[in-house]
Amino acid sequence: MNNLYITNATDPAGRQVDCRMGRSTGDVTFAPAGSISAPAGARIIDGTGKLLLPAFFDLHAHIEQPGRSKRESVTRAGQAALNGGVWGMLVMPSPGFMFDNYATLDSFRDAVSQRALAEMYAAGCISVGMNGEQQAPYNTMAARGVSVLTDAGAMPSSTLMLYRAMKYVAELGLTLAVRGDVPELTRNTCMHPGTTSYMLGLHGTPPCAEEIGIETVLRLARDAGAKVHIQTVSTAESVRIIRRAKAAGQAVTAEVALHHLLYTHECLGDYDTNFKTLPPLREEQDCAALIEGIKDGTIDCIVSDHTPCTPFSKKQDFISAPAGMVALDTFLPAIYTYLVKPGKLTWPEVVRACSENPCRIADPREPEYDAPMQAPLMLFDPRETYTVSEEHLSCGTLNTPLLGTELCGRVTLPLQ
Amino acid sequence: MNPRKDLLTISSLSDEDIHTILDSASAMKDIFTKSVKKVPALKGKSVLTLFYEPSTRTRSSFEVAAHRLSADVTTFTVSTSSVVKGESVHDTIDTLMSMKMDYIIVRHKNSGIPAVIARHCKAAVINAGDGAHAHPSQAFLDAFTIREKYGTVAGKRVVIIGDILHSRVARSTSVILQRLGAKVAYMGPGPLVPPEKHTGIPRFTNWESVFEWKPDVIYLLRVQNERIDTPFFPAQDYHQAFGVTGERLRRIDDLDLAIMHPGPVNRGVELCDDALEYRNSLICNQVENGIAARMSILYHLTPQTPVHE
């Protein structure tokens, strides 16, 4: 394999750079454009007009596709990730990937090493079978590289179980990832309460359920001395709660799903099931507060919350249809088109939220004897536009509201 | 009226559509006084009633309406069908479409199901009530009843009382009355009345403010215990706080207000016994007008099922 030499690309800070990448050594050298020369035999890529960015790490992806084999799901999700500028991801446990025992973790690792084009790490279950009652074998999982534990975005039903899990994992250095919720308050609800839910006759998910859930998790974690990561924050008040906890010095990180930055509950229109998400899409002011949270560092990461759903399941009525949308294939182009291009986020903010912070949170290695997780580089050409169609969605399902819309930007990943 | 396949909500109708259906309902009602209460408008057409929720009134009202238009009516009984074996709505509809139905009248506990069915099949789909979303035929019969009583709906003031949160009747009837120029207000227990900023409809919390608002019609909703899995309000309080008690009935009588209710009535909850005998109760008119309104709805829809002459 040849060394790579990228000329005249733009880095996240807007500087023109040349970049030399040693294939065998893994060394990467940046220099102002034109100041260094290409080594002999290197493959030269003209980066003019393109951005040279660290590839993204997605801290929240569901990859299991109902009716498909694990291997197939792994292959498709990997290709989808590369299309969207994502080189690695944290895979949520699911019925087919129940990461609560060493055998499933091992078979997943095998499938990934044989089939996946992108890096995939398993997030271990907090409770056995994600039943919310009995703690999973954390030591066994940690020994297999698990660094984040989650019941796939659910709040464990037993507060006592969660509290004890926190006390246990605090000593193992693992992170507990939880979505704020009070299940009793959100049962039988499927969207944000407001004019749209009233008109559609759907029961509203009160924002306070998420906020009370986050307060509970933070309070428990403070007492237990555990590191927690708050998943898919969706309300303005949740951002304020996390901001206060961080200011008080608590070890907490937080993520927001990309769709919570792009859409509001009004998008549901006439029961469009592609907009059914968990937690539900909120209001304009929540989107603005979440973006503000990314800018000031309260929200550490933007995640895809990629969730493949079969076409039939999404053709059902809104109440019966499953929640979630696929987002990996379109991840970076959507971030660019809807957030960077209109000036809502800058490239350095995006790189921090989509690459640096998630790599740090998910890093399965012990820093004492291994180098921290390092994202590879990718090129992004913001001038290219395309209309999202079936052929652009390698993930294999079509449950995204972006189908048929025009996005800007094309990703080159991996660089070779 | 432009050809229209389905009736799913009131909001999807133009003003012209609403007036056309109401005007024809009057003509349909004239048929009831004839010795032969039947016209051949839908002769040879097949109508299916597909009720996933128990219903006696709405279902028989639609069936009588279809019979009076000379249609053939089939009743799909959910409790004895494969639906209880877990068949999806889509698969049920595929089966029914193979039977070449022209009209499907559907009721379901989930909001939005009739729209799914309408997209999926060529038959004209009539929403006979979906979750807390819409009940357009009820809205037509309510508007028709008020128009019959007062000569017009415009300018009338109607207060809808009870469980607004779970009520498709409130959602559809308030829309049609507002479209026809009436003023609508809501009153009920706090947890069961969505805030005004969501509904755009003034919200009262007690009878005193209702009377001050000077309504013409008191529209009581049924307390739907079957929709409520966990208690929303103290049940023992309901009649005293929100029902028409004997004392309130006297006041209603003095002010000459009309009383409406979509039925079936919970006696002693929404209404005291005497209120059912009240001279200005329009509850029985609503039932009779329901048939006329549903005949008119069936008459004005155009299925896209293939026709070979």
Side-chain angles (χ1 to χ4, degrees):
Chain A
M1 264 199 296
N2 284 332
N3 293 335
L4 273 183
Y5 189 68
I6 301 155
T7 63
N8 203 31
T10 309
D11 77 358
R15 294 172 298 224
Q16 299 307 114
V17 292
D18 288 352
C19 174
R20 199 158 52 188
M21 293 162 70
R23 266 323 174 105
S24 45
T25 57
D27 292 343
V28 178
T29 317
F30 291 97
S35 66
I36 49 172
S37 58
R43 193 173 111 68
I44 298 173
I45 299 174
D46 180 8
T48 308
K50 298 177 184 171
L51 279 126
L52 185 61
L53 304 168
F56 292 176
F57 190 94
D58 182 11
L59 214 48
H60 193 140
H62 306 261
I63 68 166
E64 186 189 22
Q65 293 191 18
R68 291 190 190 273
S69 71
K70 279 186 205 177
R71 286 168 185 276
E72 218 175 354
S73 298
V74 162
T75 309
R76 282 169 180 272
Q79 183 57 55
L82 296 182
N83 292 349
V86 175
W87 70 278
M89 65 180 87
L90 189 67
V91 175
M92 295 295 115
S94 58
F97 294 119
M98 194 58 80
F99 302 133
D100 61 2
N101 63 84
Y102 73 89
T104 311
L105 287 166
D106 288 349
S107 86
F108 176 69
R109 192 145 55 174
D110 286 349
V112 169
S113 65
Q114 290 163 20
R115 309 289 289 242
L117 299 163
E119 290 288 325
M120 294 185 185
Y121 300 101
C125 298
I126 297 176
S127 58
V128 173
M130 300 196 282
N131 66 3
E133 301 295 332
Q134 167 67 52
Q135 294 93 343
Y138 305 132
N139 264 306
T140 310
M141 298 195 290
R144 279 170 171 75
V146 167
S147 61
V148 178
L149 299 170
T150 176
D151 277 357
M155 177 92 167
S157 52
S158 162
T159 308
L160 181 62
M161 192 282 299
L162 182 63
Y163 182 54
R164 289 178 177 161
M166 283 176 173
K167 286 194 155 183
Y168 191 93
V169 304
E171 288 164 17
L172 298 174
L174 302 178
T175 301
L176 277 165
V178 182
R179 176 173 66 85
D181 188 22
V182 180
E184 201 186 0
L185 289 176
T186 56
R187 197 174 54 212
N188 295 335
T189 67
C190 55
M191 71 172 293
H192 180 69
T195 308
T196 311
S197 73
Y198 166 74
M199 291 306 293
L200 295 178
L202 297 173
H203 295 310
T205 311
C208 71
E210 173 177 315
E211 293 146 8
I212 295 166
I214 293 174
E215 302 242 37
T216 305
V217 169
L218 290 174
R219 187 66 191 81
L220 292 171
R222 205 168 82 203
D223 199 85
K227 267 195 299 188
V228 285
H229 174 74
I230 308 296
Q231 293 178 302
T232 56
V233 173
S234 76
T235 78
E237 181 58 23
S238 297
V239 177
R240 285 190 282 273
I241 292 167
I242 296 163
R243 188 177 287 133
R244 277 200 300 272
K246 284 193 165 187
Q250 187 163 0
V252 54
T253 53
E255 67 180 36
V256 59
L258 178 58
H259 50 248
H260 284 120
L261 303 176
L262 307 185
Y263 308 114
T264 66
H265 63 127
E266 284 157 356
C267 296
L268 264 66
D270 195 15
Y271 300 105
D272 188 339
T273 55
N274 278 330
F275 289 102
K276 181 171 179 181
T277 63
L278 187 69
L281 300 171
R282 303 287 186 187
E283 297 176 17
E284 202 64 61
Q285 50 117 356
D286 296 300
C287 298
L290 289 163
I291 289 175
E292 197 44 50
I294 296 167
K295 294 181 99 67
D296 73 10
T298 303
I299 305 286
D300 300 83
C301 313
I302 304 172
V303 300
S304 73
D305 197 7
H306 177 84
T307 309
C309 302
T310 61
F312 176 77
S313 67
K314 281 286 192 185
K315 259 204 275 182
Q316 299 177 94
D317 65 285
F318 198 87
I319 295 169
S320 309
M325 49 177 92
V326 290
L328 280 171
D329 282 288
T330 51
F331 197 56
L332 174 48
I335 288 174
Y336 173 67
T337 307
Y338 296 115
L339 297 172
V340 178
K341 205 164 175 239
K344 293 181 177 177
L345 289 177
T346 64
W347 280 119
E349 286 161 350
V350 169
V351 167
R352 199 179 62 201
C354 297
S355 185
E356 291 165 12
N357 288 341
C359 282
R360 182 170 45 79
I361 295 165
D363 195 342
R365 280 162 269 220
E366 290 293 329
E368 291 84 11
Y369 56 87
D370 203 344
M373 196 149 76
Q374 184 75 46
L377 291 169
M378 64 176 162
L379 277 170
F380 179 70
D381 188 342
R383 297 161 301 183
E384 282 195 42
T385 60
Y386 70 106
T387 302
V388 181
S389 68
E390 202 167 331
E391 65 184 280
H392 298 110
L393 298 173
S394 313
C395 61
T397 68
L398 307 176
N399 54 307
T400 164
L402 290 174
L403 199 63
T405 62
E406 191 176 86
L407 290 182
C408 305
R410 189 167 295 278
V411 175
T412 310
L413 177 71
L415 293 174
Q416 54 193 5
Chain B
M1 173 168 173
N2 292 325
R4 133 181 308 279
K5 178 169 107 53
D6 310 305
L7 176 62
L8 305 178
T9 61
I10 296 296
S11 342
S12 64
L13 300 174
S14 68
D15 288 351
E16 188 206 341
D17 293 340
I18 292 174
H19 284 286
T20 307
I21 292 174
L22 281 176
D23 291 344
S24 309
S26 302
M28 296 296 178
K29 198 173 172 184
D30 292 340
I31 299 170
F32 300 177
T33 55
K34 307 266 168 62
S35 59
V36 177
K37 297 180 184 56
K38 208 165 185 177
V39 288
L42 259 54
K43 196 167 168 55
K45 300 287 180 190
S46 34
V47 173
L48 178 90
T49 57
L50 175 60
F51 277 53
Y52 288 87
E53 270 190 337
S55 157
T56 312
R57 293 164 172 251
T58 306
R59 178 179 215 143
S60 9
S61 179
F62 267 112
E63 287 174 357
V64 171
H67 281 303
R68 289 191 182 167
L69 293 169
S70 307
D72 301 316
V73 181
T74 307
T75 302
F76 188 87
T77 311
V78 172
S79 59
T80 58
S81 80
S82 47
V83 169
V84 294
K85 301 173 193 159
E87 185 178 82
S88 78
V89 171
H90 281 83
D91 297 334
T92 306
I93 296 304
D94 283 342
T95 309
L96 297 173
M97 286 324 288
S98 310
M99 299 177 190
K100 306 282 182 277
M101 289 294 159
D102 298 299
Y103 299 83
I104 295 179
I105 297 160
V106 63
R107 169 171 286 191
H108 199 287
K109 69 176 174 27
N110 286 5
S111 302
I113 285 265
V116 171
I117 296 174
R119 271 199 296 275
H120 193 67
C121 75
K122 292 191 174 341
V125 174
I126 299 172
N127 180 1
D130 60 332
H133 175 224
H135 194 352
S137 65
Q138 178 75 40
F140 272 109
L141 76 88
D142 289 336
F144 182 73
T145 304
I146 293 172
R147 192 172 85 161
E148 193 179 55
K149 163 90 179 161
Y150 295 104
T152 177
V153 173
K156 296 294 152 212
R157 297 166 83 84
V158 181
V159 60
I160 303 180
I161 295 172
D163 177 0
I164 309 293
L165 185 71
H166 294 93
S167 176
R168 53 197 174 212
V169 175
R171 281 173 182 76
S172 285
T173 295
S174 64
V175 172
I176 200 169
L177 295 180
Q178 288 176 318
R179 291 278 292 277
L180 292 167
K183 293 260 184 293
V184 179
Y186 286 156
M187 196 270 275
L192 290 173
V193 186
E196 186 174 343
K197 67 175 178 182
H198 294 169
T199 64
I201 291 175
R203 177 180 188 277
F204 299 127
T205 50
N206 57 62
W207 276 97
E208 221 29 64
S209 29
V210 166
F211 284 123
E212 276 169 27
W213 189 66
K214 298 200 187 329
D216 299 288
V217 178
I218 306 286
Y219 193 115
L220 297 140
L221 295 172
R222 205 167 69 79
V223 174
Q224 303 182 82
N225 292 313
E226 71 277 12
R227 281 180 194 285
I228 298 176
D229 51 356
T230 44
F232 275 74
F233 56 88
Q236 304 91 320
D237 273 357
Y238 193 88
H239 186 62
Q240 271 312 312
F242 305 102
V244 174
T245 57
E247 188 194 330
R248 287 181 192 127
L249 182 65
R250 281 189 289 282
R251 213 159 151 194
I252 287 168
D253 192 7
D254 288 347
L255 296 165
D256 199 27
L257 313 183
I259 287 183
M260 294 174 74
H261 190 297
V265 172
N266 295 310
R267 275 178 189 258
V269 182
E270 301 99 53
L271 293 166
C272 63
D273 285 348
D274 290 348
L276 289 154
E277 317 293 327
Y278 173 49
R279 61 183 176 92
N280 251 341
S281 161
L282 304 179
I283 298 172
C284 290
N285 309 47
Q286 285 174 278
V287 176
E288 185 180 5
N289 292 340
I291 298 168
R294 289 173 177 123
M295 285 170 78
S296 176
I297 290 165
L298 279 164
Y299 178 74
H300 282 291
L301 295 182
T302 315
Q304 287 170 2
T305 37
V307 179
H308 300 290
E309 294 299 338

